[in-house]
Amino acid sequence: MLYAVARGFYLLLAYVVRYRKRVVLENLRNSFPEKSGAEIEKLAHQFYWHFSQVMVEVIKLATMPAAELKRRVLFRNPEVLERHFANQRTVLGLSSHAGNWEWVLTSGALWLSAHTDGVYKPLSNPFFESFMYRLRTRMGSGLIPMRDTLRDMVQRKGEVRVVSMLSDQAAGPEDRPYWTTFMNQDAGFYTSTERLATRFRCPVVYVSIRRLRQGYYEIVLTELYDGDSPLPANDFPLTAAFVHQLEQDIRLFPPDYLWTHRRWKHKRVTE
């Protein structure tokens, strides 16, 4: 029934309100310059269908039993995290707005032996902030406002847990970002991963969420840093590795990324 509702959302978003259609098409054209106009239009519609499914899946999360969520989100290799938990480590999990990103944190609370916390940006609307907070924490996960991340890491230093971050957010020039080419475009990324991993000796894991079929996903973990090896100063190998992994995922599953996001809105400042 909910996927029938999703079909209605798709028709509304793609054909009636044309939700951020200009942004979607611009992002796709710039990311896949080798594709024809017809191919770009097809990708856009595939994205709107994916996005509509995610919308109803988020709604379903409000009432979904834990057993059903665990059945629908498969962690392929949780041992990547579990071996760090056994060594009493806090692990940084780097994820993105791909697949159903809202199911990553909540399902992690069911699959993993340690606590899961998500770094997030609180919503300005009090009603939606309250609703999404309850949704994201109902399986036992915690939330950390982005501005409080460092304070939280200091206060809970040494706690065995995962701190999950959506690391594909657009960092502006004022954030002193790591600039690189991402999907054929200049993009700035936050560099907090390097600073937190170095200061707190945190292993870093890339979290890939992929759609298997309608309503079912798998999560594949890739270790980017063991938490012990020295990291070069004034360099950002972990962020670069994250960008590389994310671009690989997007190219494998182009419709499953959040193309309505103005990811490339900031421009590199040149002197």
Side-chain angles (χ1 to χ4, degrees), residues 27 42-43 72 75-76 89 98 105 126 132 135 139 153 166 184 206 210 217 237 266-267:
N27 284 342
K42 181 180 178 180
L43 268 181
R72 289 180 174 273
F75 271 67
R76 287 290 182 191
R89 308 293 285 272
L105 183 68
M132 292 304 297
L135 204 68
M139 298 295 179
M153 293 288 290
L166 288 169
N184 295 307
Y206 173 72
R210 305 166 184 174
Y217 297 86
H266 298 299
K267 303 302 178 185

Side-chain angles (χ1 to χ4, degrees), residues 123-171:
L123 301 174
S124 57
N125 183 289
F127 172 79
F128 285 109
E129 166 62 14
S130 176
F131 174 74
M132 292 304 297
Y133 190 95
R134 293 197 305 271
L135 204 68
R136 291 164 172 167
T137 58
R138 66 179 293 261
M139 298 295 179
S141 297
L143 289 177
I144 306 166
M146 186 183 298
R147 64 181 179 275
D148 297 334
T149 304
L150 180 58
R151 181 189 309 164
D152 182 86
M153 293 288 290
V154 170
Q155 292 175 346
R156 300 168 65 184
K157 184 178 180 179
E159 185 174 323
V160 180
R161 59 173 175 153
V162 178
V163 177
S164 176
M165 300 185 288
L166 288 169
S167 300
D168 61 330
Q169 303 279 10

Side-chain angles (χ1 to χ4, degrees), residues 75 77-89 91 108 110-115 160 162 205 221 223:
F75 271 67
N77 53 343
E79 64 276 5
V80 172
L81 290 169
E82 295 294 342
R83 63 171 173 260
H84 292 302
F85 299 156
N87 292 323
Q88 304 298 300
R89 308 293 285 272
V91 183
L110 305 176
W111 275 95
L112 304 174
S113 63
H115 187 67
V160 180
V162 178
V205 171
L221 306 171
E223 184 175 293

